[in-house]
Amino acid sequence: MSLHSIYRDVTKEVNLVDRFLISHIASEEPTIDAAGKQLLKAGGKRIRPAFVLLASKFGEADRDELIRVAASLELVHMASLVHDDVIDDAELRRGKPTVMQYFDEEVALYSGNYLFGEAIRLIGEVGKPELVQVMVHTMREICEGEIEQIYDQYDWEQSIKRYIKRIERKTAILIEASCHLGAIVANCSAADTKALRLFGRDIGLAFQIADDLLDFTANRTELGKPVAEDLRHGHKTLPVFYGAEDAVFYERLSKIESMPTHEEVAPLLSFLQTSGALERTQQTVDHYIHRAIKRLEPLPKSSAKRSLEEVARYVGKRKG
């Protein structure tokens, strides 16, 4: 099933979010303006705005406020991608040159900061302090997660518990916030808001673990960036945790202290593809998807609830 069909309940609103982004990403500073437009050109599935919009269906929301909130969260996501690319010195994002490649590291950093600021400005104009509190908490968690990832590079002894905490902060928090913000702007009940927020957290964890899996299973075209990029940059993801249970694999892994050569990475990739580590990773993704769908059980039956379940299943099976 395609995302287009899953978004059927909010297709019009997703398109409005895109138009809103185009009109509000502009800056009087030409370089920041060009950088923002380059990032928009790279596209994206708009999964996070869709979660905001779908979560709002369990209450009543003003459409203009809803579009503003969804677009604000997407700006935070876009800013985090820009900063990610600077940290990883990435050349490609969704198969297209990153902002850093078009301009330089400094411009990319300040462009990301600009997007963060614009997101707070826009959501602040809705006039609901709780929305701003959730957004600020989200941004703080993202920044702390990024710093943790920097310090964890090439630390092959770190625990799975630390990895899960890191991806909660780096990725899951944004999808959790999507559902939380949608529920708040629609004045959902406390019970429904909690169910939607926890659903978002589990989907966020599944999303990141699926992304970590794709780093080893997708081809360069599907992924939109080089394969095994996380491993090359010293990021210990779940497939590597499972692979590292093997003594020979761990011994080879532990010798990598900086950007490895192809010869160093090739035997590690070969082992992961035949050891069952990738299959175990998919099982973990499925666990979080199943748990997320269970979170929705207390919510009333509706087309939006079915769409959330379908998005969850899409996340568990996505190829890029």
Side-chain angles (χ1 to χ4, degrees):
M1 182 173 286
S2 69
L3 272 181
H4 179 74
S5 62
I6 294 171
Y7 288 175
R8 60 188 173 273
D9 289 330
V10 292
T11 299
K12 185 182 293 184
E13 289 94 339
V14 169
N15 291 335
L16 288 173
V17 169
D18 270 334
R19 291 180 202 166
F20 190 95
L21 287 168
I22 291 168
S23 63
H24 285 79
I25 204 169
S27 168
E28 293 181 0
E29 206 296 312
T31 304
I32 291 179
D33 185 68
K37 288 176 180 174
Q38 168 57 26
L39 193 59
L40 276 179
K41 269 197 269 182
K45 300 180 180 70
R46 303 293 184 251
I47 286 178
R48 292 153 195 85
F51 277 126
V52 175
L53 299 167
L54 287 169
S56 76
K57 298 295 183 181
F58 297 91
E60 295 290 335
D62 176 87
R63 192 176 74 167
D64 289 342
E65 291 182 353
L66 184 59
I67 298 305
R68 183 175 291 268
V69 169
S72 299
L73 191 70
E74 185 70 355
L75 286 177
V76 172
H77 172 56
M78 291 165 65
S80 71
L81 295 183
V82 173
H83 289 166
D84 260 350
D85 291 339
V86 171
I87 292 167
D88 292 338
D89 195 23
E91 296 180 1
L92 296 175
R93 167 68 65 180
R94 299 173 184 140
K96 297 181 181 179
T98 61
V99 171
M100 187 175 65
Q101 288 299 308
Y102 263 100
F103 302 96
D104 57 38
E105 182 177 309
E106 288 80 8
V107 169
L109 282 172
Y110 282 113
S111 297
N113 293 346
Y114 174 84
L115 294 177
F116 273 142
E118 186 67 1
I120 288 294
R121 183 184 74 80
L122 290 172
I123 204 168
E125 290 177 352
V126 176
K128 292 186 176 181
E130 191 177 355
L131 293 172
V132 177
Q133 290 169 5
V134 171
M135 185 73 93
V136 170
H137 171 71
T138 299
M139 293 167 66
R140 288 180 62 182
E141 288 289 298
I142 291 170
C143 292
E144 289 178 357
E146 290 287 3
I147 291 170
E148 285 178 357
Q149 179 163 286
I150 292 169
Y151 283 119
D152 287 346
Q153 276 185 288
Y154 300 104
D155 175 9
W156 307 119
E157 295 182 0
Q158 65 186 271
S159 66
I160 287 185
K161 182 178 180 180
R162 182 167 178 83
Y163 160 78
I164 294 295
K165 180 62 178 176
R166 185 172 70 244
I167 67 173
E168 277 184 344
R169 287 177 151 175
K170 272 181 50 63
T171 303
I173 189 66
L174 266 171
I175 298 181
E176 177 183 343
S178 300
C179 297
H180 196 181
L181 291 170
I184 292 171
V185 78
N187 299 304
C188 292
S189 70
D192 287 356
T193 298
K194 181 179 180 180
L196 288 162
R197 180 176 60 80
L198 294 177
F199 165 83
R201 179 186 297 176
D202 285 339
I203 289 298
L205 288 167
F207 190 95
Q208 183 57 58
I209 296 170
D211 199 60
D212 293 343
L213 181 60
L214 285 169
D215 195 46
F216 296 104
T217 60
N219 62 47
R220 183 185 176 106
T221 301
E222 289 174 328
L223 198 57
K225 62 180 182 179
V227 177
E229 192 77 345
D230 291 332
L231 177 58
R232 296 177 195 278
H233 283 91
H235 303 315
K236 191 176 183 183
T237 58
L238 196 57
V240 179
F241 274 103
Y242 289 148
E245 293 174 5
D246 178 85
V248 175
F249 179 93
Y250 181 75
E251 183 180 1
R252 286 176 172 164
L253 181 70
S254 62
K255 292 178 181 177
I256 297 176
E257 298 179 349
S258 60
M259 185 68 76
T261 63
H262 173 74
E263 289 72 22
E264 289 175 301
V265 170
L268 298 175
L269 293 179
S270 178
F271 178 85
L272 288 175
Q273 290 162 357
T274 58
S275 67
L278 302 183
E279 290 78 7
R280 287 178 65 190
T281 302
Q282 181 62 56
Q283 289 169 6
T284 304
V285 173
D286 294 342
H287 162 74
Y288 281 111
I289 295 297
H290 176 74
R291 195 168 80 172
I293 292 173
K294 290 282 286 183
R295 303 279 197 193
L296 298 176
E297 286 184 354
L299 297 173
K301 289 183 179 180
S302 65
S303 179
K305 182 176 179 177
R306 288 193 297 274
S307 292
L308 286 174
E309 292 171 352
E310 289 168 3
V311 176
R313 295 188 179 96
Y314 169 86
V315 166
K317 293 178 169 55
R318 68 195 182 95
K319 301 299 181 184

